[in-house]
Amino acid sequence: AQTVTQSQPEMSVQEAETVTLSCTYDTSESDYYLFWYKQPPSRQMILVIRQEAYKQQNATENRFSVNFQKAAKSFSLKISDSQLGDAAMYFCASNGGSQGNLIFGKGTKLSVKP
Amino acid sequence: GAGVSQSPRYKVAKRGQDVALRCDPISGHVSLFWYQQALGQGPEFLTYFQNEAQLDKSGLPSDRFFAERPEGSVSTLKIQRTQQEDSAVYLCASSSQRGHNEQFFGPGTRLTVL
């Protein structure tokens, strides 16, 4: 069975600073993807960034980047130049197999201080 | 439509009542997923449809939960004889293909069972 662990229930960052959210996972799948989703207080889940496990290069999307360590089964999210709008719950997720249903961690609540 | 929509957004039910939650996926999306998100937790997979076929219902917590997608578009999640432990946000997500494509989430239905 796949598991996803987020060990930081809450994090805080000063506006314009950089913050890293941690995630570890366990899977027996050989072909899988990893995701970071953002869930603002309105509750609509939005995809932040996606990493294909077979790609060694870390994914980046503007201010968001990941540090993917496949051997260590680690998948952290780095947010640079943090903005007030980045405040939200962040969920790490994995999928595998042909169906693609997501396995989520428990989430990290990110606060951004002005 | 512009995105995944769900209705109602909020539902209060008395214990023992039956409820029906609706999901309108993005037009043309083949895959549809239902997740249950308890307070302070990450979403947990309930069931998966590919077009009208329910290919995985392993996450449904009991036989009181039933989902359908008869024409391969709109889906309904029905909960019979609701219990207090059913209180949660129910999220629907759709994807253009099976497998590892991005899932687009709806705003969710918050169910409260009194």
Side-chain angles (χ1 to χ4, degrees):
Chain A
Q2 297 183 53
T3 60
V4 176
T5 302
Q6 293 179 251
S7 58
Q8 305 156 318
E10 296 186 26
M11 290 285 284
S12 180
V13 64
Q14 204 72 33
E15 194 176 7
E17 296 295 308
T18 296
V19 64
T20 298
L21 308 184
S22 301
C23 173
T24 58
Y25 65 94
D26 193 13
T27 180
S28 57
E29 301 286 342
S30 57
D31 179 22
Y32 59 93
Y33 283 53
L34 298 166
F35 305 83
W36 279 98
Y37 276 87
K38 172 185 178 181
Q39 191 177 44
S42 66
R43 304 202 75 87
Q44 191 131 13
M45 200 86 73
I46 304 165
L47 178 67
V48 174
I49 198 165
R50 173 174 62 181
Q51 174 78 41
E52 298 157 80
Y54 66 88
K55 287 189 176 179
Q56 292 186 342
Q57 186 174 5
N58 289 326
T60 62
E61 288 287 343
N62 300 313
R63 298 183 295 107
F64 299 87
S65 61
V66 299
N67 182 5
F68 175 46
Q69 301 290 329
K70 191 171 183 179
K73 296 186 176 178
S74 170
F75 182 62
S76 61
L77 174 69
K78 185 171 82 171
I79 306 174
S80 303
D81 186 26
S82 297
Q83 301 176 0
L84 294 178
D86 294 334
M89 285 291 292
Y90 285 82
F91 291 96
C92 179
S94 72
N95 72 352
S98 60
Q99 293 177 183
N101 57 284
L102 297 171
I103 308 297
F104 287 89
K106 291 189 175 183
T108 296
K109 183 178 180 181
L110 178 66
S111 302
V112 181
K113 297 179 180 178
Chain B
V4 179
S5 61
Q6 293 185 245
S7 61
R9 290 293 311 276
Y10 303 91
K11 177 69 178 178
V12 178
K14 292 183 179 179
R15 190 171 56 183
Q17 282 184 332
D18 297 349
V19 298
L21 313 180
R22 177 187 170 105
C23 172
D24 282 86
I26 293 173
S27 179
H29 275 194
V30 169
S31 298
L32 186 146
F33 302 83
W34 282 99
Y35 295 88
Q36 180 189 58
Q37 186 176 20
L39 186 65
Q41 302 293 318
E44 293 189 354
F45 169 73
L46 293 178
T47 187
Y48 163 67
F49 290 86
Q50 184 179 322
N51 296 308
E52 69 278 3
Q54 188 175 20
L55 299 186
D56 187 346
K57 52 182 181 179
S58 62
L60 296 177
S62 79
D63 58 7
R64 298 185 295 103
F65 286 70
F66 171 77
E68 60 184 4
R69 194 186 185 197
E71 297 180 358
S73 55
V74 171
S75 178
T76 304
L77 176 67
K78 298 178 179 178
I79 309 173
Q80 297 177 325
R81 304 181 303 282
T82 53
Q83 304 294 315
Q84 284 189 323
E85 61 262 29
D86 300 335
S87 295
V89 175
Y90 290 85
L91 298 172
C92 175
S94 71
S95 175
S96 60
Q97 298 177 29
R98 55 184 287 184
H100 305 302
N101 277 42
E102 176 183 356
Q103 294 184 24
F104 294 84
F105 283 81
T109 295
R110 180 184 294 276
L111 173 65
T112 302
V113 181
L114 303 177

